[in-house]
Amino acid sequence: MSEEKEMITGMEAPMYLTYNFTAGGATTRFLAELRNGKLVGQECPKCQHVYIPPRGSCAACGVPTVREVELTNKATVQSFTIVYIPIPNNPIKPPYVIANLMADGAHQSFLHLISDVDNADVRIGMRVEAIWKAEEEWTHAMENIQYFRPLDEPDMPIDEIGRLKNA
Amino acid sequence: MSSTESEVLSQAFELGFTYTRSTGPVVGRFLTELRDRKVVGNKASDGTVYVPPMEFDPRTAEEITEFVEVAETGVVKTWSWIAEPQSKHLLQQPFAFALVQLDGSDVPMLHMVDAGSIDKMKTGMKVKVRWAETTRGHVTDINCFEPA
Ligand SMILES: [Zn+2]
């Protein structure tokens, strides 16, 4: 081996999984409503938990969540993280805030972005609202909501986030 | 929800992990030599020559440091015919995945044999390396093996 030549130290070993994703009945109903600009959860007939995104059945009771509940654009920050590390091909530039959000009337949180606020001001209990993209850009995706931004409302006490009213 | 949207949604999906693996001094040396169109293995304490080279001696668990160049000809020890290559296969015509033991090596390595048709494949057949047009330090610098 000639010493002046550069030694190989790395090897590209990409892995691609190509498959067909089928949403299933409950998620299809949820995504179809997102396509119409609506956030719709599904309620357990037994314990009244509202799931968003819905799973089709209640994790606690094991019964189908057939009733749909339209939620507003308002939500509460349940937890959050500030992301500093860039993800390849992700157009969002760090640092940005990604949060577990509890939609009003829901008992299950979903992940989304928080923007229009100093990252340092984001806190658990903060009230936020969804900012939707222009209607012509809506698809069957949570990305129809561009981000959530703070609402001018008092914080929600931590132990009330996502709790059933009469539980 | 309108009844026209009651059909279950599905769509094609691709999950990609764009890994770069670090090769270390042994595999790195193997790949570096491939770039120069040479195949090297290394010699363990009992004299066994491994191609591709092994990082540690299977008997003593010591590092193996003695590299040896082997021939670019070898023998097919066993093989499996791929009659209908998929899009991700590196050869797009029917070929064989084969364990090829290079002359000078004591263990076979997995690679591809382009024999044209299954009738030309035989356990024990002689094959030789078909080099890629441009080598870059990757196992695909060996494009495949062909009947010798
Ligand atoms: Zn329930």
Side-chain angles (χ1 to χ4, degrees), chain A residues 1-2 5-25 27-29 31-33 35-36 68 88-89 140, chain B residues 1 5-25 27-29 31-33 35-36 38 88 136-138:
Chain A
M1 184 177 61
S2 54
K5 280 199 182 154
E6 215 183 312
M7 181 92 173
I8 299 287
T9 57
M11 183 178 86
E12 284 171 26
M15 196 185 293
Y16 294 99
L17 307 173
T18 313
Y19 55 95
N20 203 49
F21 173 77
T22 302
T27 306
T28 291
R29 277 150 59 206
L31 294 175
E33 294 293 5
R35 173 73 185 74
N36 298 328
E68 304 201 336
N89 302 322
H140 296 95
Chain B
M1 183 178 66
E5 286 187 298
S6 59
E7 210 164 293
V8 167
L9 291 167
S10 80
Q11 73 168 48
F13 209 83
E14 184 175 76
L15 183 62
F17 300 100
T18 55
Y19 294 129
T20 299
R21 221 188 96 178
S22 54
T23 49
V27 176
R29 169 80 184 262
L31 297 175
T32 303
E33 300 281 3
R35 193 178 55 192
D36 288 338
K38 286 178 203 155
K88 294 273 159 77
R136 60 193 179 106
H138 198 272

Side-chain angles (χ1 to χ4, degrees), chain A residues 80-87 90-99 112-122 147:
Chain A
F80 67 95
T81 186
I82 303 178
V83 179
Y84 290 93
I85 299 169
I87 297 167
N90 188 332
I92 307 161
K93 295 281 162 281
Y96 57 88
V97 180
I98 192 128
H112 219 295
L113 287 168
I114 304 232
S115 200
D116 267 3
V117 60
D118 277 346
N119 290 349
D121 291 339
V122 177
Y147 56 82

Side-chain angles (χ1 to χ4, degrees), chain A residues 47-115:
Chain A
C47 73
Q48 275 74 53
H49 255 74
V50 171
Y51 290 89
I52 175 173
R55 281 125 175 83
S57 64
C58 177
C61 311
V63 295
T65 51
V66 283
R67 203 173 86 82
E68 304 201 336
V69 184
E70 186 173 344
L71 304 167
T72 67
N73 279 323
K74 293 185 176 186
T76 304
V77 174
Q78 187 191 36
S79 67
F80 67 95
T81 186
I82 303 178
V83 179
Y84 290 93
I85 299 169
I87 297 167
N89 302 322
N90 188 332
I92 307 161
K93 295 281 162 281
Y96 57 88
V97 180
I98 192 128
N100 275 309
L101 299 172
M102 190 70 73
D104 287 9
H107 309 97
Q108 184 78 38
S109 63
F110 57 86
L111 273 178
H112 219 295
L113 287 168
I114 304 232
S115 200

